[in-house]
Amino acid sequence: MEKNPNQYNGDVLVVPKKGNTTKQVYIESYGCQMNFADSEVVAAILSDEGYQTVGEPQDADLILLNTCSIREKAEQTVRNRLVHLKTYKKNNTALKVGVLGCMAERLKHKFLEEEKIVDIVVGPDAYKDLPNLLTEAEANREAVNVLLSKEETYGDIAPVRLQSNGVTAFVSITRGCDNMCTFCVVPFTRGRERSRDPKSILAEIQQLADQGFKEITLLGQNVDSYLWYGGGLKKDFTKASSLQQQTAIDFAQLLALVAEAQPKMRIRFSTSNPQDMSIDVLHTMAKYNNICKYIHLPVQSGNNRILKKMNRLHTREEYMELIDNVRNIIPNCGLSHDMIAGFPTETEEEHQDTLSLMDYVKYDFGFMFAYSERPGTLAARKFEDDIPEATKKRRLNEIIALQQQHSAHRTQQFIGTTPTVLIEKSSRKSAEHWSGRTTQNTVVVFPKENYNVGDFVQVKIVDATAATLIGKPLGLSDEI
Ligand code: SAH
Ligand code: F3S
């Protein structure tokens, strides 16, 4: 995952013009990859209504913000953006502004009261209702739908690929989360966990392959708990018929199905959860060379008391054992983490446990955050947010500094090797260089020569920073 999954990256989404379109929508996405994937579903639903997606808000009849609630800062970013959008509404009184995603779900009707600029509020499971809500908004009636669903997976909608490089794409396989980590707002904003029909997953990937895509990332809050037995919630699996139980498909099986169906495509997935990641998944990764050797495995803390208070259902020792298994079964596997600094009551010693766990794993990279209390979560209701901001920040900085060291250590190990790199785009720093990734998800830049976006190239690594490998292309690669 090259993109911090939780930070606005400023992407503006654009779809090519369709025939007979009369209206224009501008969509801005914040937060996790799932939100970016959802915006592609929203673009598809609106395209059927005659909306064309545009790259600038000033041209739009409809502005949609697909929002994130994961930390307070993410919500503040959206609120600031709404203030900014006021000028567009002044210049175009017919303009409608909608908020989608987790903030819409969390704040519901309150959004209309708090942010006068907002006309439409739609939660993550209600996007199919957008056409009706637009009609309501146009008649100046309240347009809010934040119903969560136990079934909706949008499996029947072919997403419109937005701002695509034509090489990599996201494919949702589950929605929602049942884990109830005490700090996390996602189970409240995205509802119960449900899995998507493997047939529709395979069909979407086939379509991407036909369009020339080379890499897909299977997305879910917790991909390891994927379970398809004919529909319904995972928790109801015990009530399924015996035939349904016998023919059920778990994540390891789904991975194998996708890998076999698309031997020429790279397959990634995110996010893995240590409590659910099975040895079967590791063996499946090892078996298929087109499944990328990279796992994003958030741990949040290295201390058992804090892990328990977070309702993470594994211990430090179990996590380390899982890491040992990864190292044994998939040598050279790239690993990344999410970490939270300053969870309520965390002591200095407990913070040191986080640092020592990081030393044990030596992750390739990580996403690191200061604890942010989220209204309605168990942590907010039960635990005082008692770690001073300055302490949180200092601990976070220590975590980040250690990760920098580990990242540099990992990238140094690549020097002299000749990995296969899938070219994704021009390097941000130099128009003469391509940027792509190794199977471990490490970014590589190298001179463009005669290679093209979408090529698999064997690259000799000659230098490295903590975040990027610098290489020389040796030729097209037979491997992927
Ligand atoms: N399973 C999800 C996790 C989503 S949240 C996934 O697909 O990645 C992403 C990360 O945000 C979490 O792993 C956690 O490290 C961080 N996070 C969540 N809630 C937080 C909070 N209240 N304060 C700080 N960080 C938080
Ligand atoms: Fe959040 Fe934990 Fe689920 S971090 S998304 S409740 S796995």
Side-chain angles (χ1 to χ4, degrees):
M1 199 165 23
E2 85 285 16
K3 183 193 294 176
N4 181 332
N6 304 295
Q7 273 174 9
Y8 170 50
N9 74 356
D11 275 3
V12 166
L13 312 169
V14 189
V15 245
K17 252 189 176 114
K18 276 197 154 193
N20 304 327
T21 49
T22 50
K23 293 183 199 156
Q24 303 196 314
V25 55
Y26 168 82
I27 312 177
E28 219 168 68
S29 303
Y30 297 78
C32 67
Q33 293 160 325
M34 188 67 89
N35 258 8
F36 283 75
D38 280 359
S39 290
E40 299 188 333
V41 167
V42 167
I45 292 167
L46 290 177
S47 150
D48 286 347
E49 298 296 306
Y51 276 88
Q52 169 207 337
T53 309
V54 290
E56 295 292 337
Q58 57 266 30
D59 300 330
D61 305 288
L62 171 65
I63 295 179
L64 297 175
L65 302 187
N66 198 349
T67 62
C68 173
S69 285
I70 201 79
R71 281 168 293 277
E72 198 185 339
K73 215 168 122 201
E75 292 203 353
Q76 200 49 53
T77 309
V78 169
R79 289 197 193 269
N80 294 344
R81 185 65 178 138
L82 285 170
V83 172
H84 227 91
L85 293 178
K86 278 189 183 146
T87 39
Y88 297 108
K89 213 155 182 179
K90 264 195 208 129
N91 298 338
N92 173 8
T93 48
L95 171 69
K96 298 291 174 204
V97 173
V99 281
L100 317 174
C102 289
M103 249 180 114
E105 191 63 47
R106 198 177 81 70
L107 292 162
K108 305 185 170 56
H109 287 80
K110 264 199 265 174
F111 232 127
L112 297 180
E113 293 152 27
E114 289 176 13
E115 305 284 349
K116 296 286 174 227
I117 183 183
V118 173
D119 304 291
I120 306 165
V121 179
V122 199
D125 287 344
Y127 297 144
K128 284 183 185 159
D129 197 30
L130 260 167
N132 297 327
L133 294 168
L134 284 168
T135 311
E136 293 300 296
E138 262 146 39
N140 292 317
R141 286 192 292 266
E142 208 169 77
V144 179
N145 187 341
V146 287
L147 285 176
L148 287 173
S149 160
K150 289 178 183 165
E151 289 95 31
E152 186 61 83
T153 60
Y154 300 113
D156 53 336
I157 292 181
V160 170
R161 301 294 162 188
L162 300 168
Q163 261 238 338
S164 171
N165 56 11
V167 178
T168 60
F170 296 129
V171 176
S172 300
I173 64 163
T174 68
R175 293 185 75 80
C177 187
D178 282 352
N179 277 345
M180 300 301 278
C181 303
T182 57
F183 52 80
C184 186
V185 78
V186 170
F188 302 95
T189 58
R190 288 189 160 268
R192 300 307 303 262
E193 181 191 283
R194 64 222 99 114
S195 296
R196 177 178 170 189
D197 186 340
K199 279 202 204 89
S200 86
I201 296 173
L202 289 167
E204 185 176 331
I205 298 171
Q206 183 59 52
Q207 203 176 36
L208 289 164
D210 294 343
Q211 291 165 359
F213 282 82
K214 300 287 167 62
E215 178 183 299
I216 51 126
T217 303
L218 304 174
L219 281 187
Q221 302 298 339
N222 176 3
V223 287
D224 299 293
S225 69
Y226 177 88
L227 184 70
W228 175 260
Y229 62 96
L233 300 179
K234 184 177 176 181
K235 78 167 181 49
D236 295 331
F237 181 56
T238 47
K239 294 184 211 146
S241 71
S242 66
L243 181 66
Q244 280 178 318
Q245 294 199 358
Q246 281 162 34
T247 54
I249 291 177
D250 67 11
F251 182 57
Q253 290 165 312
L254 179 73
L255 263 184
L257 281 174
V258 176
E260 275 178 29
Q262 304 296 344
K264 297 217 154 15
M265 266 185 147
R266 273 187 175 184
I267 294 139
R268 298 187 186 276
F269 52 86
S270 188
T271 297
S272 300
N273 192 307
Q275 76 202 38
D276 294 310
M277 183 157 216
S278 68
I279 293 290
D280 282 353
V281 168
L282 301 183
H283 284 300
T284 307
M285 288 177 74
K287 180 172 169 192
Y288 294 97
N289 66 351
N290 56 335
I291 303 180
C292 288
K293 306 300 180 258
Y294 163 64
I295 308 172
H296 180 52
L297 200 55
V299 63
Q300 320 296 0
S301 165
N303 174 267
N304 281 336
R305 190 184 71 87
I306 295 295
L307 285 170
K308 197 156 186 206
K309 247 177 129 66
M310 288 175 161
N311 195 32
R312 301 288 290 187
L313 301 180
H314 60 83
T315 61
R316 171 190 173 94
E317 292 73 26
E318 284 162 346
Y319 186 86
M320 286 160 117
E321 197 183 319
L322 178 58
I323 297 293
D324 293 345
N325 285 330
V326 171
R327 300 270 184 238
N328 289 334
I329 298 169
I330 317 165
N332 298 323
C333 188
L335 279 167
S336 61
H337 65 96
D338 290 346
M339 208 68 89
I340 298 179
F343 187 77
T345 74
E346 184 189 64
T347 65
E348 278 312 315
E349 292 71 40
E350 289 166 340
H351 165 62
Q352 290 300 325
D353 285 344
T354 291
L355 299 177
S356 72
L357 179 71
M358 290 174 69
D359 270 329
Y360 183 80
V361 183
K362 292 196 175 55
Y363 296 97
D364 294 73
F365 54 98
F367 303 102
M368 299 150 283
F369 314 100
Y371 173 68
S372 164
E373 185 177 272
R374 306 313 296 131
T377 57
L378 196 124
R381 284 182 277 129
K382 294 259 168 84
F383 314 137
E384 192 194 337
D385 183 8
D386 60 351
I387 308 297
E389 281 311 307
T391 308
K392 281 186 198 170
K393 206 160 201 174
R394 196 247 311 141
R395 289 181 190 168
L396 176 63
N397 286 339
E398 287 174 13
I399 291 171
I400 292 171
L402 185 59
Q403 184 52 55
Q404 277 286 108
Q405 283 178 28
H406 292 158
S407 295
H409 164 77
R410 288 287 172 209
T411 54
Q412 283 295 317
Q413 288 186 331
F414 277 95
I415 293 179
T417 64
T418 55
T420 296
V421 178
L422 170 59
I423 302 179
E424 291 174 22
K425 57 190 174 196
S426 278
S427 155
R428 228 178 283 167
K429 290 198 184 131
S430 150
E432 274 84 58
H433 287 74
W434 288 127
S435 171
R437 281 176 295 158
T438 65
T439 184
Q440 291 91 350
N441 213 28
T442 312
V443 174
V444 185
V445 296
F446 61 90
K448 283 187 174 172
E449 297 186 0
N450 292 325
Y451 299 100
N452 296 305
V453 167
D455 282 347
F456 289 101
V457 180
Q458 201 183 14
V459 179
K460 170 133 186 156
I461 306 303
V462 293
D463 202 355
T465 68
T468 310
L469 306 176
I470 295 128
K472 280 198 183 114
L474 300 177
L476 287 174
S477 176
D478 295 332
E479 290 169 11
I480 68 171

